[in-house]
PDB file of all heavy atoms in Angstrom:
ATOM      1  N   VAL A 339     -45.482 -24.770  -5.460  1.00 94.00           N
ATOM      2  CA  VAL A 339     -45.293 -24.705  -3.933  1.00 94.00           C
ATOM      3  C   VAL A 339     -44.898 -23.373  -3.508  1.00 94.00           C
ATOM      4  O   VAL A 339     -44.298 -22.580  -4.317  1.00 94.00           O
ATOM      5  CB  VAL A 339     -44.318 -25.823  -3.471  1.00 94.00           C
ATOM      6  CG1 VAL A 339     -44.816 -27.196  -3.694  1.00 94.00           C
ATOM      7  CG2 VAL A 339     -42.993 -25.625  -4.080  1.00 94.00           C
ATOM      8  N   VAL A 340     -45.202 -22.991  -2.298  1.00 96.00           N
ATOM      9  CA  VAL A 340     -44.815 -21.733  -1.721  1.00 96.00           C
ATOM     10  C   VAL A 340     -44.049 -22.057  -0.455  1.00 96.00           C
ATOM     11  O   VAL A 340     -44.539 -22.762   0.415  1.00 96.00           O
ATOM     12  CB  VAL A 340     -46.021 -20.825  -1.444  1.00 96.00           C
ATOM     13  CG1 VAL A 340     -45.576 -19.545  -0.751  1.00 96.00           C
ATOM     14  CG2 VAL A 340     -46.776 -20.560  -2.729  1.00 96.00           C
ATOM     15  N   LEU A 341     -42.807 -21.532  -0.335  1.00 96.00           N
ATOM     16  CA  LEU A 341     -41.995 -21.650   0.866  1.00 96.00           C
ATOM     17  C   LEU A 341     -41.988 -20.324   1.492  1.00 96.00           C
ATOM     18  O   LEU A 341     -41.660 -19.321   0.873  1.00 96.00           O
ATOM     19  CB  LEU A 341     -40.547 -22.088   0.458  1.00 96.00           C
ATOM     20  CG  LEU A 341     -39.487 -21.983   1.618  1.00 96.00           C
ATOM     21  CD1 LEU A 341     -39.750 -23.009   2.699  1.00 96.00           C
ATOM     22  CD2 LEU A 341     -38.106 -22.078   0.969  1.00 96.00           C
ATOM     23  N   THR A 342     -42.290 -20.233   2.801  1.00 97.00           N
ATOM     24  CA  THR A 342     -42.229 -19.052   3.530  1.00 97.00           C
ATOM     25  C   THR A 342     -41.297 -19.190   4.746  1.00 97.00           C
ATOM     26  O   THR A 342     -41.439 -20.157   5.491  1.00 97.00           O
ATOM     27  CB  THR A 342     -43.652 -18.618   4.040  1.00 97.00           C
ATOM     28  OG1 THR A 342     -44.575 -18.592   2.901  1.00 97.00           O
ATOM     29  CG2 THR A 342     -43.662 -17.280   4.718  1.00 97.00           C
ATOM     30  N   VAL A 343     -40.347 -18.269   4.934  1.00 98.00           N
ATOM     31  CA  VAL A 343     -39.522 -18.206   6.106  1.00 98.00           C
ATOM     32  C   VAL A 343     -39.754 -16.923   6.762  1.00 98.00           C
ATOM     33  O   VAL A 343     -39.554 -15.865   6.182  1.00 98.00           O
ATOM     34  CB  VAL A 343     -38.055 -18.416   5.670  1.00 98.00           C
ATOM     35  CG1 VAL A 343     -37.134 -18.367   6.943  1.00 98.00           C
ATOM     36  CG2 VAL A 343     -37.815 -19.720   4.984  1.00 98.00           C
ATOM     37  N   ARG A 344     -40.142 -16.988   8.080  1.00 97.00           N
ATOM     38  CA  ARG A 344     -40.474 -15.775   8.816  1.00 97.00           C
ATOM     39  C   ARG A 344     -39.637 -15.726  10.133  1.00 97.00           C
ATOM     40  O   ARG A 344     -39.445 -16.686  10.802  1.00 97.00           O
ATOM     41  CB  ARG A 344     -41.966 -15.844   9.246  1.00 97.00           C
ATOM     42  CG  ARG A 344     -42.474 -14.722  10.128  1.00 97.00           C
ATOM     43  CD  ARG A 344     -43.823 -14.996  10.712  1.00 97.00           C
ATOM     44  NE  ARG A 344     -44.779 -15.205   9.629  1.00 97.00           N
ATOM     45  CZ  ARG A 344     -45.744 -14.295   9.297  1.00 97.00           C
ATOM     46  NH1 ARG A 344     -45.850 -13.185   9.937  1.00 97.00           N
ATOM     47  NH2 ARG A 344     -46.553 -14.551   8.312  1.00 97.00           N
ATOM     48  N   ASP A 345     -39.118 -14.492  10.349  1.00 96.00           N
ATOM     49  CA  ASP A 345     -38.426 -14.254  11.640  1.00 96.00           C
ATOM     50  C   ASP A 345     -38.948 -12.957  12.232  1.00 96.00           C
ATOM     51  O   ASP A 345     -39.618 -12.184  11.600  1.00 96.00           O
ATOM     52  CB  ASP A 345     -36.851 -14.211  11.386  1.00 96.00           C
ATOM     53  CG  ASP A 345     -36.452 -12.907  10.661  1.00 96.00           C
ATOM     54  OD1 ASP A 345     -36.700 -11.780  11.166  1.00 96.00           O
ATOM     55  OD2 ASP A 345     -35.870 -13.060   9.606  1.00 96.00           O
ATOM     56  N   GLU A 346     -38.650 -12.771  13.471  1.00 96.00           N
ATOM     57  CA  GLU A 346     -38.997 -11.534  14.208  1.00 96.00           C
ATOM     58  C   GLU A 346     -37.712 -10.881  14.675  1.00 96.00           C
ATOM     59  O   GLU A 346     -37.478 -10.681  15.858  1.00 96.00           O
ATOM     60  CB  GLU A 346     -39.916 -11.887  15.432  1.00 96.00           C
ATOM     61  CG  GLU A 346     -41.263 -12.438  14.981  1.00 96.00           C
ATOM     62  CD  GLU A 346     -42.142 -12.827  16.173  1.00 96.00           C
ATOM     63  OE1 GLU A 346     -41.874 -12.404  17.302  1.00 96.00           O
ATOM     64  OE2 GLU A 346     -43.100 -13.558  15.829  1.00 96.00           O
ATOM     65  N   GLY A 347     -36.885 -10.574  13.671  1.00 91.00           N
ATOM     66  CA  GLY A 347     -35.584 -10.046  13.869  1.00 91.00           C
ATOM     67  C   GLY A 347     -35.436  -8.593  13.646  1.00 91.00           C
ATOM     68  O   GLY A 347     -36.384  -7.831  13.765  1.00 91.00           O
ATOM     69  N   ILE A 348     -34.233  -8.124  13.185  1.00 92.00           N
ATOM     70  CA  ILE A 348     -33.938  -6.725  13.054  1.00 92.00           C
ATOM     71  C   ILE A 348     -34.685  -6.142  11.800  1.00 92.00           C
ATOM     72  O   ILE A 348     -34.836  -4.903  11.677  1.00 92.00           O
ATOM     73  CB  ILE A 348     -32.427  -6.471  12.915  1.00 92.00           C
ATOM     74  CG1 ILE A 348     -31.840  -7.145  11.694  1.00 92.00           C
ATOM     75  CG2 ILE A 348     -31.738  -6.935  14.200  1.00 92.00           C
ATOM     76  CD1 ILE A 348     -30.393  -6.731  11.414  1.00 92.00           C
ATOM     77  N   GLY A 349     -35.148  -6.956  10.903  1.00 93.00           N
ATOM     78  CA  GLY A 349     -35.818  -6.410   9.697  1.00 93.00           C
ATOM     79  C   GLY A 349     -34.847  -5.732   8.787  1.00 93.00           C
ATOM     80  O   GLY A 349     -33.654  -5.538   9.037  1.00 93.00           O
ATOM     81  N   ILE A 350     -35.281  -5.402   7.599  1.00 94.00           N
ATOM     82  CA  ILE A 350     -34.487  -4.749   6.589  1.00 94.00           C
ATOM     83  C   ILE A 350     -35.028  -3.270   6.408  1.00 94.00           C
ATOM     84  O   ILE A 350     -36.205  -3.073   6.199  1.00 94.00           O
ATOM     85  CB  ILE A 350     -34.587  -5.466   5.285  1.00 94.00           C
ATOM     86  CG1 ILE A 350     -34.135  -6.883   5.386  1.00 94.00           C
ATOM     87  CG2 ILE A 350     -33.716  -4.756   4.176  1.00 94.00           C
ATOM     88  CD1 ILE A 350     -34.467  -7.793   4.222  1.00 94.00           C
ATOM     89  N   PRO A 351     -34.148  -2.277   6.603  1.00 93.00           N
ATOM     90  CA  PRO A 351     -34.635  -0.909   6.397  1.00 93.00           C
ATOM     91  C   PRO A 351     -35.239  -0.700   5.008  1.00 93.00           C
ATOM     92  O   PRO A 351     -34.779  -1.251   4.007  1.00 93.00           O
ATOM     93  CB  PRO A 351     -33.333  -0.100   6.505  1.00 93.00           C
ATOM     94  CG  PRO A 351     -32.433  -0.974   7.339  1.00 93.00           C
ATOM     95  CD  PRO A 351     -32.766  -2.322   6.993  1.00 93.00           C
ATOM     96  N   LEU A 352     -36.279   0.040   4.964  1.00 94.00           N
ATOM     97  CA  LEU A 352     -37.028   0.305   3.722  1.00 94.00           C
ATOM     98  C   LEU A 352     -36.108   0.777   2.593  1.00 94.00           C
ATOM     99  O   LEU A 352     -36.257   0.320   1.475  1.00 94.00           O
ATOM    100  CB  LEU A 352     -38.121   1.349   3.966  1.00 94.00           C
ATOM    101  CG  LEU A 352     -39.171   1.505   2.918  1.00 94.00           C
ATOM    102  CD1 LEU A 352     -39.853   0.216   2.528  1.00 94.00           C
ATOM    103  CD2 LEU A 352     -40.209   2.520   3.286  1.00 94.00           C
ATOM    104  N   ALA A 353     -35.149   1.659   2.912  1.00 94.00           N
ATOM    105  CA  ALA A 353     -34.286   2.174   1.851  1.00 94.00           C
ATOM    106  C   ALA A 353     -33.368   1.076   1.242  1.00 94.00           C
ATOM    107  O   ALA A 353     -32.957   1.203   0.123  1.00 94.00           O
ATOM    108  CB  ALA A 353     -33.450   3.278   2.464  1.00 94.00           C
ATOM    109  N   ASP A 354     -33.119   0.030   2.002  1.00 93.00           N
ATOM    110  CA  ASP A 354     -32.232  -1.024   1.533  1.00 93.00           C
ATOM    111  C   ASP A 354     -33.004  -2.157   0.750  1.00 93.00           C
ATOM    112  O   ASP A 354     -32.389  -2.919   0.035  1.00 93.00           O
ATOM    113  CB  ASP A 354     -31.521  -1.674   2.712  1.00 93.00           C
ATOM    114  CG  ASP A 354     -30.494  -0.821   3.347  1.00 93.00           C
ATOM    115  OD1 ASP A 354     -29.727  -0.169   2.611  1.00 93.00           O
ATOM    116  OD2 ASP A 354     -30.404  -0.786   4.561  1.00 93.00           O
ATOM    117  N   GLN A 355     -34.247  -2.233   0.994  1.00 94.00           N
ATOM    118  CA  GLN A 355     -35.013  -3.331   0.402  1.00 94.00           C
ATOM    119  C   GLN A 355     -34.942  -3.527  -1.168  1.00 94.00           C
ATOM    120  O   GLN A 355     -34.819  -4.645  -1.624  1.00 94.00           O
ATOM    121  CB  GLN A 355     -36.492  -3.273   0.834  1.00 94.00           C
ATOM    122  CG  GLN A 355     -36.632  -3.597   2.337  1.00 94.00           C
ATOM    123  CD  GLN A 355     -38.063  -3.573   2.814  1.00 94.00           C
ATOM    124  OE1 GLN A 355     -39.004  -3.696   2.046  1.00 94.00           O
ATOM    125  NE2 GLN A 355     -38.175  -3.282   4.130  1.00 94.00           N
TER     126      GLN A 355
END
Side-chain angles (χ1 to χ4, degrees):
V339 294
V340 177
L341 168 70
T342 305
V343 178
R344 174 191 302 253
D345 70 61
E346 295 178 17
I348 65 172
I350 303 167
L352 190 58
D354 290 317
Q355 291 182 23

